[in-house]
Amino acid sequence: MSKHTFILNGKPVTVDIEDDVRLLWVLRDVLGVRGPKYGCGINVCKACTSHINGKAFNPCSVRVADLKADDEITTIEGLPGTVGTDLHPMQEAWLDHDVAQCGYCQPGQIMAAVAKVKQARAEGREITDNDLDEIRNICRCGTYSRIRQAIKAGAAGM
């Protein structure tokens, strides 16, 4: 076992676990962070989408040993803290547009949406339909049209 330190939702954490354990299991099973969902475990469904240093990534595909002590991991639980409110504007848009049906994919969908909006803004532009087409998170309930509407509304509030 090895000690691994990183920043989780704004707070440093250290875990004592084998190097090859995927971060998703560290988050869920060791640290009790349940927002990132297990869907496929092979970086396809994206139900576990979170942020590493502000960019979308899938913790099911990252070994805990690949993290550095200054890497900042943000999950859906920590997203409101990034804007200092009870809910992030994207979460509010999700509620306003009644996006969730079963809700399983929603944390990953929201995290992917926030990262995509930030990426577009870093490029000096607003989010487009082409950007939305690049989000590959799977929703088995098929609420894609509401997801797209909510992303546009959430982007306006960010």
Side-chain angles (χ1 to χ4, degrees), residues 87-103:
L87 287 177
H88 188 279
M90 195 64 71
Q91 291 171 303
E92 289 178 2
W94 240 249
L95 294 172
D96 292 345
H97 288 269
D98 197 26
V99 173
Q101 212 163 349
C102 82

Side-chain angles (χ1 to χ4, degrees), residues 34-37 47 49 76 103-112 137:
R34 303 293 184 175
K37 304 297 186 220
T49 303
I76 193 75
Y104 195 81
C105 71
Q106 299 313 301
Q109 295 277 3
I110 291 169
M111 297 302 286
N137 294 56

Side-chain angles (χ1 to χ4, degrees), residues 20-28 36-50 57-64 66 73:
D20 63 344
V21 174
R22 300 297 168 156
L23 181 58
L24 180 60
W25 306 129
V26 173
L27 294 173
R28 291 183 58 78
K37 304 297 186 220
Y38 171 74
C40 67
I42 57 172
N43 198 21
V44 173
C45 77
K46 312 223 181 282
C48 64
T49 303
S50 299
F57 85 115
N58 298 99
C60 71
S61 65
V62 174
R63 298 175 330 127
V64 70
D66 295 334
I73 307 303

Side-chain angles (χ1 to χ4, degrees), residues 99-106 138-144 146-147:
V99 173
Q101 212 163 349
C102 82
Y104 195 81
C105 71
Q106 299 313 301
I138 294 172
C139 171
R140 291 193 171 125
C141 299
T143 64
Y144 294 110
R146 291 194 312 243
I147 289 169

Side-chain angles (χ1 to χ4, degrees), residues 13-33:
V13 296
T14 300
V15 295
D16 192 12
I17 197 160
E18 293 85 8
D19 290 345
D20 63 344
V21 174
R22 300 297 168 156
L23 181 58
L24 180 60
W25 306 129
V26 173
L27 294 173
R28 291 183 58 78
D29 297 341
V30 177
L31 298 172
V33 177

